[in-house]
Amino acid sequence: MRKFLSLLLICALFSLNLEASQTKEKIKSSKTSLRSSEEMSKQLNKKLEDLASDIVSGNKKLRQITNDIANLKEQISALEANATSANSELEKLTKQNKELIQTQKELEQNIIRIITEDLSFELFLSQDEKSQSTDSIMVSQILTKLNSIVKEDYKKLTKTYEETVNHIKNQSNKIEKIQTSIKNYKQKQNELLALKENQKSTISSLKRDKEIYTKKLAKLQIQQDELRKTLEQLSIMQKREDAKAAELERQRQAQTSKRQGGTKDSNLDVKQMGSSYQTSAVKKYTGAKTIAPLDGFSVKQKFGNYVDPIYNIKIFNESVVLRSNTPNAKVKSVLNGKVVFAKETQLLDRVVIIENENGIHTIYAHLSQIAPTIKVGTRVQKGYVIGRVIDDLTFEVTQKNYHIDPLELISLK
């Protein structure tokens, strides 16, 4: 019965240890996953140009790591040629040193023995000098001779001992150099492994950032086209077919001129993404400044040309993106006007468009909520709350078929 209970206890302890180990692994995996998610979220919330800067820096870092790996491999290759012979030499020297140390101990014992014998002879001779019999004189001479031999042996032993000690010292220095060389070789190998892990991590981060960046570019284009389509349907902006045709004609003429030996147009080196490049008509705003649509914000995306450094694509941003300093922030009308559009869209979330004086239209997109009082035909005053935004507000301004930089209209204080 006791054996059975003991067996049950052992099984229970084993099960608990296994569960604890599995729990630790799950916690470790969860922490890794959480860090990865936090990093992904951080990159998703970055400005397009900041994300592009991260990718450029990542590519530079990757090139440096690749160069460092190549240099380390060369160093390791040079060290590796000596590593095998060094290990063999180290083994041989270590063995020799053990033998030399043993010889040193034996020499020390012999030296002690000779010193003891020498002292004994000296003591015996000093006592024998008192009696001058024939026998004692003979004994004295024999002892003197033996003492001379012992002293000669002592000299030889001390010389051998000194040579042995020096030999051990030299051998130890060689061993130390070889050990340093082998240690350096192993250190370089560890550095190489660390660099390869760093390279792997950098490649993974770059892949993730490029995927995010590509999606951001594509999303930016789709949303911009969707907003323009809405403005065209409301007759706020004219259709762009004529402008597109003019741009294509300009490109055709420039390419013809280049083939005929004309001056190279540097703009031809830049790809144009869809209809996003500046076939938009832009007008500078010269009126009085007005309030901003958010109480506190930072500019996440500016108005105008943007050439991304990754794919060399030129985009013209017809709007600005303002990031609110507080979540779920109120969005206010920047001017007096009449609501001409207020509904949820497939790509731009909730959108409100207000017709203002002097042919100005203000567009507020990516709202999380539209105020219940905001309907088409509603008249609003400057500062009236038209809705809320979770974090990023897309804000666009037009005037009589021209786009205006919204930051020229609003106060940035």
Side-chain angles (χ1 to χ4, degrees), residues 139-173:
V139 169
S140 178
Q141 287 176 348
I142 291 167
L143 287 173
T144 302
K145 183 67 176 175
L146 286 171
N147 192 31
S148 175
I149 292 168
V150 167
K151 285 182 178 180
E152 189 64 31
D153 287 345
Y154 176 76
K155 285 180 182 179
K156 288 178 181 178
L157 276 173
T158 52
K159 185 179 179 182
T160 305
Y161 179 78
E162 189 177 346
E163 288 173 353
T164 303
V165 170
N166 288 332
H167 198 179
I168 291 170
K169 188 178 178 181
N170 291 333
Q171 296 282 74
S172 296
N173 288 337

PDB file of all heavy atoms in Angstrom, residues 139-173:
ATOM      1  N   VAL A 139      89.931   9.524   7.295  1.00  0.00           N
ATOM      2  CA  VAL A 139      88.465   9.723   7.253  1.00  0.00           C
ATOM      3  C   VAL A 139      88.132  11.144   6.834  1.00  0.00           C
ATOM      4  O   VAL A 139      87.242  11.407   6.024  1.00  0.00           O
ATOM      5  CB  VAL A 139      87.836   9.392   8.615  1.00  0.00           C
ATOM      6  CG1 VAL A 139      86.380   9.849   8.654  1.00  0.00           C
ATOM      7  CG2 VAL A 139      87.937   7.912   8.890  1.00  0.00           C
ATOM      8  N   SER A 140      88.947  12.073   7.392  1.00  0.00           N
ATOM      9  CA  SER A 140      88.720  13.489   7.078  1.00  0.00           C
ATOM     10  C   SER A 140      88.923  13.775   5.602  1.00  0.00           C
ATOM     11  O   SER A 140      88.141  14.517   4.985  1.00  0.00           O
ATOM     12  CB  SER A 140      89.664  14.345   7.917  1.00  0.00           C
ATOM     13  OG  SER A 140      89.499  15.687   7.594  1.00  0.00           O
ATOM     14  N   GLN A 141      89.972  13.186   5.051  1.00  0.00           N
ATOM     15  CA  GLN A 141      90.240  13.386   3.618  1.00  0.00           C
ATOM     16  C   GLN A 141      89.113  12.798   2.753  1.00  0.00           C
ATOM     17  O   GLN A 141      88.701  13.401   1.741  1.00  0.00           O
ATOM     18  CB  GLN A 141      91.585  12.720   3.261  1.00  0.00           C
ATOM     19  CG  GLN A 141      92.796  13.493   3.798  1.00  0.00           C
ATOM     20  CD  GLN A 141      94.108  12.772   3.521  1.00  0.00           C
ATOM     21  OE1 GLN A 141      94.106  11.590   3.129  1.00  0.00           O
ATOM     22  NE2 GLN A 141      95.215  13.479   3.725  1.00  0.00           N
ATOM     23  N   ILE A 142      88.663  11.602   3.154  1.00  0.00           N
ATOM     24  CA  ILE A 142      87.559  10.964   2.401  1.00  0.00           C
ATOM     25  C   ILE A 142      86.314  11.851   2.461  1.00  0.00           C
ATOM     26  O   ILE A 142      85.624  12.086   1.446  1.00  0.00           O
ATOM     27  CB  ILE A 142      87.262   9.557   2.961  1.00  0.00           C
ATOM     28  CG1 ILE A 142      88.422   8.613   2.643  1.00  0.00           C
ATOM     29  CG2 ILE A 142      85.953   9.003   2.363  1.00  0.00           C
ATOM     30  CD1 ILE A 142      88.370   7.312   3.411  1.00  0.00           C
ATOM     31  N   LEU A 143      85.982  12.356   3.628  1.00  0.00           N
ATOM     32  CA  LEU A 143      84.800  13.202   3.803  1.00  0.00           C
ATOM     33  C   LEU A 143      84.912  14.508   3.011  1.00  0.00           C
ATOM     34  O   LEU A 143      83.935  14.993   2.431  1.00  0.00           O
ATOM     35  CB  LEU A 143      84.600  13.516   5.286  1.00  0.00           C
ATOM     36  CG  LEU A 143      84.084  12.354   6.144  1.00  0.00           C
ATOM     37  CD1 LEU A 143      84.098  12.752   7.621  1.00  0.00           C
ATOM     38  CD2 LEU A 143      82.683  11.920   5.718  1.00  0.00           C
ATOM     39  N   THR A 144      86.165  15.007   3.016  1.00  0.00           N
ATOM     40  CA  THR A 144      86.402  16.253   2.242  1.00  0.00           C
ATOM     41  C   THR A 144      86.136  16.014   0.762  1.00  0.00           C
ATOM     42  O   THR A 144      85.513  16.835   0.074  1.00  0.00           O
ATOM     43  CB  THR A 144      87.853  16.744   2.445  1.00  0.00           C
ATOM     44  OG1 THR A 144      88.064  16.960   3.839  1.00  0.00           O
ATOM     45  CG2 THR A 144      88.102  18.031   1.679  1.00  0.00           C
ATOM     46  N   LYS A 145      86.609  14.845   0.292  1.00  0.00           N
ATOM     47  CA  LYS A 145      86.399  14.486  -1.109  1.00  0.00           C
ATOM     48  C   LYS A 145      84.901  14.320  -1.403  1.00  0.00           C
ATOM     49  O   LYS A 145      84.385  14.808  -2.422  1.00  0.00           O
ATOM     50  CB  LYS A 145      87.154  13.175  -1.413  1.00  0.00           C
ATOM     51  CG  LYS A 145      87.074  12.729  -2.864  1.00  0.00           C
ATOM     52  CD  LYS A 145      87.802  13.689  -3.785  1.00  0.00           C
ATOM     53  CE  LYS A 145      87.819  13.192  -5.224  1.00  0.00           C
ATOM     54  NZ  LYS A 145      88.420  14.172  -6.135  1.00  0.00           N
ATOM     55  N   LEU A 146      84.238  13.593  -0.519  1.00  0.00           N
ATOM     56  CA  LEU A 146      82.787  13.396  -0.687  1.00  0.00           C
ATOM     57  C   LEU A 146      82.040  14.726  -0.658  1.00  0.00           C
ATOM     58  O   LEU A 146      81.105  14.955  -1.430  1.00  0.00           O
ATOM     59  CB  LEU A 146      82.252  12.474   0.412  1.00  0.00           C
ATOM     60  CG  LEU A 146      82.601  10.982   0.289  1.00  0.00           C
ATOM     61  CD1 LEU A 146      82.186  10.240   1.556  1.00  0.00           C
ATOM     62  CD2 LEU A 146      81.888  10.367  -0.932  1.00  0.00           C
ATOM     63  N   ASN A 147      82.469  15.584   0.233  1.00  0.00           N
ATOM     64  CA  ASN A 147      81.840  16.910   0.343  1.00  0.00           C
ATOM     65  C   ASN A 147      82.011  17.703  -0.948  1.00  0.00           C
ATOM     66  O   ASN A 147      81.107  18.395  -1.401  1.00  0.00           O
ATOM     67  CB  ASN A 147      82.463  17.660   1.518  1.00  0.00           C
ATOM     68  CG  ASN A 147      81.657  18.900   1.863  1.00  0.00           C
ATOM     69  OD1 ASN A 147      80.445  18.936   1.680  1.00  0.00           O
ATOM     70  ND2 ASN A 147      82.335  19.927   2.346  1.00  0.00           N
ATOM     71  N   SER A 148      83.198  17.575  -1.551  1.00  0.00           N
ATOM     72  CA  SER A 148      83.484  18.251  -2.824  1.00  0.00           C
ATOM     73  C   SER A 148      82.571  17.718  -3.933  1.00  0.00           C
ATOM     74  O   SER A 148      82.049  18.487  -4.743  1.00  0.00           O
ATOM     75  CB  SER A 148      84.961  18.036  -3.182  1.00  0.00           C
ATOM     76  OG  SER A 148      85.228  18.567  -4.449  1.00  0.00           O
ATOM     77  N   ILE A 149      82.407  16.371  -3.920  1.00  0.00           N
ATOM     78  CA  ILE A 149      81.515  15.749  -4.933  1.00  0.00           C
ATOM     79  C   ILE A 149      80.080  16.212  -4.744  1.00  0.00           C
ATOM     80  O   ILE A 149      79.376  16.533  -5.706  1.00  0.00           O
ATOM     81  CB  ILE A 149      81.621  14.204  -4.840  1.00  0.00           C
ATOM     82  CG1 ILE A 149      82.996  13.747  -5.288  1.00  0.00           C
ATOM     83  CG2 ILE A 149      80.536  13.546  -5.703  1.00  0.00           C
ATOM     84  CD1 ILE A 149      83.299  12.293  -4.952  1.00  0.00           C
ATOM     85  N   VAL A 150      79.625  16.262  -3.485  1.00  0.00           N
ATOM     86  CA  VAL A 150      78.255  16.704  -3.168  1.00  0.00           C
ATOM     87  C   VAL A 150      78.031  18.145  -3.636  1.00  0.00           C
ATOM     88  O   VAL A 150      77.002  18.483  -4.224  1.00  0.00           O
ATOM     89  CB  VAL A 150      77.984  16.575  -1.660  1.00  0.00           C
ATOM     90  CG1 VAL A 150      76.711  17.312  -1.265  1.00  0.00           C
ATOM     91  CG2 VAL A 150      77.868  15.115  -1.272  1.00  0.00           C
ATOM     92  N   LYS A 151      79.037  18.987  -3.403  1.00  0.00           N
ATOM     93  CA  LYS A 151      78.925  20.390  -3.829  1.00  0.00           C
ATOM     94  C   LYS A 151      78.858  20.518  -5.347  1.00  0.00           C
ATOM     95  O   LYS A 151      78.116  21.346  -5.876  1.00  0.00           O
ATOM     96  CB  LYS A 151      80.105  21.188  -3.273  1.00  0.00           C
ATOM     97  CG  LYS A 151      79.974  21.485  -1.792  1.00  0.00           C
ATOM     98  CD  LYS A 151      81.144  22.312  -1.294  1.00  0.00           C
ATOM     99  CE  LYS A 151      80.957  22.654   0.198  1.00  0.00           C
ATOM    100  NZ  LYS A 151      82.072  23.444   0.705  1.00  0.00           N
ATOM    101  N   GLU A 152      79.642  19.673  -6.020  1.00  0.00           N
ATOM    102  CA  GLU A 152      79.616  19.676  -7.489  1.00  0.00           C
ATOM    103  C   GLU A 152      78.235  19.235  -8.003  1.00  0.00           C
ATOM    104  O   GLU A 152      77.687  19.831  -8.938  1.00  0.00           O
ATOM    105  CB  GLU A 152      80.716  18.738  -8.025  1.00  0.00           C
ATOM    106  CG  GLU A 152      80.931  18.830  -9.537  1.00  0.00           C
ATOM    107  CD  GLU A 152      81.429  20.191  -9.983  1.00  0.00           C
ATOM    108  OE1 GLU A 152      82.138  20.865  -9.217  1.00  0.00           O
ATOM    109  OE2 GLU A 152      81.075  20.592 -11.108  1.00  0.00           O
ATOM    110  N   ASP A 153      77.718  18.185  -7.362  1.00  0.00           N
ATOM    111  CA  ASP A 153      76.362  17.719  -7.716  1.00  0.00           C
ATOM    112  C   ASP A 153      75.324  18.812  -7.459  1.00  0.00           C
ATOM    113  O   ASP A 153      74.372  18.997  -8.244  1.00  0.00           O
ATOM    114  CB  ASP A 153      76.003  16.469  -6.895  1.00  0.00           C
ATOM    115  CG  ASP A 153      76.757  15.237  -7.374  1.00  0.00           C
ATOM    116  OD1 ASP A 153      77.320  15.303  -8.482  1.00  0.00           O
ATOM    117  OD2 ASP A 153      76.770  14.233  -6.642  1.00  0.00           O
ATOM    118  N   TYR A 154      75.521  19.531  -6.391  1.00  0.00           N
ATOM    119  CA  TYR A 154      74.609  20.620  -6.035  1.00  0.00           C
ATOM    120  C   TYR A 154      74.600  21.699  -7.122  1.00  0.00           C
ATOM    121  O   TYR A 154      73.534  22.194  -7.525  1.00  0.00           O
ATOM    122  CB  TYR A 154      75.017  21.212  -4.680  1.00  0.00           C
ATOM    123  CG  TYR A 154      74.183  22.417  -4.295  1.00  0.00           C
ATOM    124  CD1 TYR A 154      72.879  22.266  -3.832  1.00  0.00           C
ATOM    125  CD2 TYR A 154      74.717  23.705  -4.401  1.00  0.00           C
ATOM    126  CE1 TYR A 154      72.116  23.366  -3.479  1.00  0.00           C
ATOM    127  CE2 TYR A 154      73.956  24.817  -4.056  1.00  0.00           C
ATOM    128  CZ  TYR A 154      72.668  24.630  -3.603  1.00  0.00           C
ATOM    129  OH  TYR A 154      71.909  25.721  -3.262  1.00  0.00           O
ATOM    130  N   LYS A 155      75.799  22.043  -7.572  1.00  0.00           N
ATOM    131  CA  LYS A 155      75.911  23.052  -8.650  1.00  0.00           C
ATOM    132  C   LYS A 155      75.181  22.601  -9.909  1.00  0.00           C
ATOM    133  O   LYS A 155      74.448  23.365 -10.544  1.00  0.00           O
ATOM    134  CB  LYS A 155      77.378  23.322  -8.971  1.00  0.00           C
ATOM    135  CG  LYS A 155      78.094  24.165  -7.934  1.00  0.00           C
ATOM    136  CD  LYS A 155      79.545  24.382  -8.348  1.00  0.00           C
ATOM    137  CE  LYS A 155      80.297  25.187  -7.289  1.00  0.00           C
ATOM    138  NZ  LYS A 155      81.711  25.371  -7.692  1.00  0.00           N
ATOM    139  N   LYS A 156      75.415  21.316 -10.265  1.00  0.00           N
ATOM    140  CA  LYS A 156      74.764  20.773 -11.470  1.00  0.00           C
ATOM    141  C   LYS A 156      73.246  20.766 -11.314  1.00  0.00           C
ATOM    142  O   LYS A 156      72.499  21.104 -12.240  1.00  0.00           O
ATOM    143  CB  LYS A 156      75.264  19.362 -11.747  1.00  0.00           C
ATOM    144  CG  LYS A 156      76.694  19.307 -12.262  1.00  0.00           C
ATOM    145  CD  LYS A 156      77.134  17.869 -12.465  1.00  0.00           C
ATOM    146  CE  LYS A 156      78.587  17.804 -12.952  1.00  0.00           C
ATOM    147  NZ  LYS A 156      79.034  16.403 -13.114  1.00  0.00           N
ATOM    148  N   LEU A 157      72.807  20.343 -10.112  1.00  0.00           N
ATOM    149  CA  LEU A 157      71.366  20.281  -9.851  1.00  0.00           C
ATOM    150  C   LEU A 157      70.718  21.668  -9.904  1.00  0.00           C
ATOM    151  O   LEU A 157      69.644  21.838 -10.478  1.00  0.00           O
ATOM    152  CB  LEU A 157      71.100  19.648  -8.489  1.00  0.00           C
ATOM    153  CG  LEU A 157      71.068  18.123  -8.445  1.00  0.00           C
ATOM    154  CD1 LEU A 157      70.958  17.644  -7.011  1.00  0.00           C
ATOM    155  CD2 LEU A 157      69.915  17.576  -9.263  1.00  0.00           C
ATOM    156  N   THR A 158      71.374  22.637  -9.274  1.00  0.00           N
ATOM    157  CA  THR A 158      70.807  24.006  -9.277  1.00  0.00           C
ATOM    158  C   THR A 158      70.754  24.575 -10.689  1.00  0.00           C
ATOM    159  O   THR A 158      69.799  25.271 -11.053  1.00  0.00           O
ATOM    160  CB  THR A 158      71.631  24.940  -8.384  1.00  0.00           C
ATOM    161  OG1 THR A 158      73.022  24.849  -8.741  1.00  0.00           O
ATOM    162  CG2 THR A 158      71.458  24.596  -6.920  1.00  0.00           C
ATOM    163  N   LYS A 159      71.794  24.259 -11.501  1.00  0.00           N
ATOM    164  CA  LYS A 159      71.804  24.722 -12.888  1.00  0.00           C
ATOM    165  C   LYS A 159      70.656  24.072 -13.680  1.00  0.00           C
ATOM    166  O   LYS A 159      69.932  24.734 -14.428  1.00  0.00           O
ATOM    167  CB  LYS A 159      73.144  24.387 -13.539  1.00  0.00           C
ATOM    168  CG  LYS A 159      73.286  24.950 -14.943  1.00  0.00           C
ATOM    169  CD  LYS A 159      74.642  24.618 -15.538  1.00  0.00           C
ATOM    170  CE  LYS A 159      74.748  25.175 -16.954  1.00  0.00           C
ATOM    171  NZ  LYS A 159      76.038  24.826 -17.581  1.00  0.00           N
ATOM    172  N   THR A 160      70.504  22.735 -13.485  1.00  0.00           N
ATOM    173  CA  THR A 160      69.419  22.006 -14.158  1.00  0.00           C
ATOM    174  C   THR A 160      68.064  22.519 -13.699  1.00  0.00           C
ATOM    175  O   THR A 160      67.129  22.674 -14.507  1.00  0.00           O
ATOM    176  CB  THR A 160      69.529  20.502 -13.856  1.00  0.00           C
ATOM    177  OG1 THR A 160      70.833  20.042 -14.228  1.00  0.00           O
ATOM    178  CG2 THR A 160      68.472  19.713 -14.628  1.00  0.00           C
ATOM    179  N   TYR A 161      67.986  22.795 -12.393  1.00  0.00           N
ATOM    180  CA  TYR A 161      66.737  23.306 -11.827  1.00  0.00           C
ATOM    181  C   TYR A 161      66.370  24.652 -12.462  1.00  0.00           C
ATOM    182  O   TYR A 161      65.227  24.890 -12.851  1.00  0.00           O
ATOM    183  CB  TYR A 161      66.879  23.457 -10.311  1.00  0.00           C
ATOM    184  CG  TYR A 161      65.636  24.006  -9.635  1.00  0.00           C
ATOM    185  CD1 TYR A 161      64.539  23.189  -9.392  1.00  0.00           C
ATOM    186  CD2 TYR A 161      65.574  25.343  -9.245  1.00  0.00           C
ATOM    187  CE1 TYR A 161      63.406  23.678  -8.774  1.00  0.00           C
ATOM    188  CE2 TYR A 161      64.433  25.845  -8.640  1.00  0.00           C
ATOM    189  CZ  TYR A 161      63.357  25.013  -8.409  1.00  0.00           C
ATOM    190  OH  TYR A 161      62.221  25.495  -7.811  1.00  0.00           O
ATOM    191  N   GLU A 162      67.362  25.541 -12.574  1.00  0.00           N
ATOM    192  CA  GLU A 162      67.139  26.865 -13.169  1.00  0.00           C
ATOM    193  C   GLU A 162      66.688  26.749 -14.631  1.00  0.00           C
ATOM    194  O   GLU A 162      65.772  27.442 -15.086  1.00  0.00           O
ATOM    195  CB  GLU A 162      68.424  27.689 -13.078  1.00  0.00           C
ATOM    196  CG  GLU A 162      68.224  29.149 -13.466  1.00  0.00           C
ATOM    197  CD  GLU A 162      69.508  29.969 -13.291  1.00  0.00           C
ATOM    198  OE1 GLU A 162      70.446  29.476 -12.635  1.00  0.00           O
ATOM    199  OE2 GLU A 162      69.542  31.076 -13.819  1.00  0.00           O
ATOM    200  N   GLU A 163      67.348  25.840 -15.360  1.00  0.00           N
ATOM    201  CA  GLU A 163      66.995  25.616 -16.772  1.00  0.00           C
ATOM    202  C   GLU A 163      65.554  25.078 -16.880  1.00  0.00           C
ATOM    203  O   GLU A 163      64.795  25.471 -17.772  1.00  0.00           O
ATOM    204  CB  GLU A 163      67.972  24.628 -17.409  1.00  0.00           C
ATOM    205  CG  GLU A 163      69.355  25.220 -17.652  1.00  0.00           C
ATOM    206  CD  GLU A 163      70.355  24.180 -18.131  1.00  0.00           C
ATOM    207  OE1 GLU A 163      69.987  22.972 -18.131  1.00  0.00           O
ATOM    208  OE2 GLU A 163      71.474  24.555 -18.482  1.00  0.00           O
ATOM    209  N   THR A 164      65.228  24.177 -15.949  1.00  0.00           N
ATOM    210  CA  THR A 164      63.872  23.586 -15.947  1.00  0.00           C
ATOM    211  C   THR A 164      62.814  24.653 -15.668  1.00  0.00           C
ATOM    212  O   THR A 164      61.774  24.715 -16.340  1.00  0.00           O
ATOM    213  CB  THR A 164      63.783  22.471 -14.890  1.00  0.00           C
ATOM    214  OG1 THR A 164      64.781  21.485 -15.162  1.00  0.00           O
ATOM    215  CG2 THR A 164      62.407  21.820 -14.901  1.00  0.00           C
ATOM    216  N   VAL A 165      63.091  25.502 -14.677  1.00  0.00           N
ATOM    217  CA  VAL A 165      62.153  26.587 -14.332  1.00  0.00           C
ATOM    218  C   VAL A 165      61.953  27.534 -15.527  1.00  0.00           C
ATOM    219  O   VAL A 165      60.829  27.922 -15.859  1.00  0.00           O
ATOM    220  CB  VAL A 165      62.640  27.369 -13.098  1.00  0.00           C
ATOM    221  CG1 VAL A 165      61.810  28.646 -12.898  1.00  0.00           C
ATOM    222  CG2 VAL A 165      62.559  26.500 -11.851  1.00  0.00           C
ATOM    223  N   ASN A 166      63.049  27.895 -16.187  1.00  0.00           N
ATOM    224  CA  ASN A 166      62.968  28.776 -17.366  1.00  0.00           C
ATOM    225  C   ASN A 166      62.194  28.114 -18.515  1.00  0.00           C
ATOM    226  O   ASN A 166      61.420  28.764 -19.228  1.00  0.00           O
ATOM    227  CB  ASN A 166      64.362  29.174 -17.847  1.00  0.00           C
ATOM    228  CG  ASN A 166      65.039  30.154 -16.903  1.00  0.00           C
ATOM    229  OD1 ASN A 166      64.364  30.915 -16.207  1.00  0.00           O
ATOM    230  ND2 ASN A 166      66.369  30.140 -16.858  1.00  0.00           N
ATOM    231  N   HIS A 167      62.447  26.805 -18.658  1.00  0.00           N
ATOM    232  CA  HIS A 167      61.766  26.049 -19.694  1.00  0.00           C
ATOM    233  C   HIS A 167      60.258  26.038 -19.436  1.00  0.00           C
ATOM    234  O   HIS A 167      59.434  26.220 -20.351  1.00  0.00           O
ATOM    235  CB  HIS A 167      62.325  24.622 -19.739  1.00  0.00           C
ATOM    236  CG  HIS A 167      61.992  23.924 -21.021  1.00  0.00           C
ATOM    237  ND1 HIS A 167      62.409  22.651 -21.301  1.00  0.00           N
ATOM    238  CD2 HIS A 167      61.286  24.311 -22.107  1.00  0.00           C
ATOM    239  CE1 HIS A 167      61.962  22.296 -22.488  1.00  0.00           C
ATOM    240  NE2 HIS A 167      61.283  23.296 -22.997  1.00  0.00           N
ATOM    241  N   ILE A 168      59.922  25.796 -18.159  1.00  0.00           N
ATOM    242  CA  ILE A 168      58.500  25.804 -17.760  1.00  0.00           C
ATOM    243  C   ILE A 168      57.874  27.166 -18.052  1.00  0.00           C
ATOM    244  O   ILE A 168      56.763  27.258 -18.575  1.00  0.00           O
ATOM    245  CB  ILE A 168      58.349  25.445 -16.265  1.00  0.00           C
ATOM    246  CG1 ILE A 168      58.703  23.970 -16.029  1.00  0.00           C
ATOM    247  CG2 ILE A 168      56.923  25.729 -15.763  1.00  0.00           C
ATOM    248  CD1 ILE A 168      58.817  23.586 -14.569  1.00  0.00           C
ATOM    249  N   LYS A 169      58.633  28.231 -17.742  1.00  0.00           N
ATOM    250  CA  LYS A 169      58.148  29.593 -17.968  1.00  0.00           C
ATOM    251  C   LYS A 169      57.887  29.847 -19.455  1.00  0.00           C
ATOM    252  O   LYS A 169      56.848  30.393 -19.843  1.00  0.00           O
ATOM    253  CB  LYS A 169      59.160  30.597 -17.425  1.00  0.00           C
ATOM    254  CG  LYS A 169      58.668  32.033 -17.435  1.00  0.00           C
ATOM    255  CD  LYS A 169      59.715  32.956 -16.833  1.00  0.00           C
ATOM    256  CE  LYS A 169      59.230  34.410 -16.884  1.00  0.00           C
ATOM    257  NZ  LYS A 169      60.240  35.322 -16.319  1.00  0.00           N
ATOM    258  N   ASN A 170      58.844  29.437 -20.288  1.00  0.00           N
ATOM    259  CA  ASN A 170      58.709  29.602 -21.746  1.00  0.00           C
ATOM    260  C   ASN A 170      57.522  28.799 -22.291  1.00  0.00           C
ATOM    261  O   ASN A 170      56.744  29.286 -23.118  1.00  0.00           O
ATOM    262  CB  ASN A 170      59.991  29.179 -22.461  1.00  0.00           C
ATOM    263  CG  ASN A 170      61.140  30.126 -22.186  1.00  0.00           C
ATOM    264  OD1 ASN A 170      60.913  31.308 -21.897  1.00  0.00           O
ATOM    265  ND2 ASN A 170      62.372  29.635 -22.252  1.00  0.00           N
ATOM    266  N   GLN A 171      57.442  27.560 -21.799  1.00  0.00           N
ATOM    267  CA  GLN A 171      56.338  26.700 -22.225  1.00  0.00           C
ATOM    268  C   GLN A 171      54.996  27.299 -21.805  1.00  0.00           C
ATOM    269  O   GLN A 171      54.027  27.285 -22.568  1.00  0.00           O
ATOM    270  CB  GLN A 171      56.483  25.300 -21.612  1.00  0.00           C
ATOM    271  CG  GLN A 171      57.707  24.520 -22.065  1.00  0.00           C
ATOM    272  CD  GLN A 171      57.533  23.905 -23.443  1.00  0.00           C
ATOM    273  OE1 GLN A 171      57.575  24.619 -24.432  1.00  0.00           O
ATOM    274  NE2 GLN A 171      57.340  22.616 -23.495  1.00  0.00           N
ATOM    275  N   SER A 172      54.944  27.848 -20.587  1.00  0.00           N
ATOM    276  CA  SER A 172      53.708  28.454 -20.074  1.00  0.00           C
ATOM    277  C   SER A 172      53.309  29.662 -20.914  1.00  0.00           C
ATOM    278  O   SER A 172      52.122  29.892 -21.173  1.00  0.00           O
ATOM    279  CB  SER A 172      53.885  28.870 -18.610  1.00  0.00           C
ATOM    280  OG  SER A 172      54.114  27.741 -17.799  1.00  0.00           O
ATOM    281  N   ASN A 173      54.298  30.461 -21.339  1.00  0.00           N
ATOM    282  CA  ASN A 173      54.026  31.616 -22.201  1.00  0.00           C
ATOM    283  C   ASN A 173      53.448  31.173 -23.549  1.00  0.00           C
ATOM    284  O   ASN A 173      52.510  31.789 -24.074  1.00  0.00           O
ATOM    285  CB  ASN A 173      55.303  32.431 -22.439  1.00  0.00           C
ATOM    286  CG  ASN A 173      55.726  33.193 -21.198  1.00  0.00           C
ATOM    287  OD1 ASN A 173      54.899  33.468 -20.322  1.00  0.00           O
ATOM    288  ND2 ASN A 173      57.002  33.528 -21.099  1.00  0.00           N
TER     289      ASN A 173
END
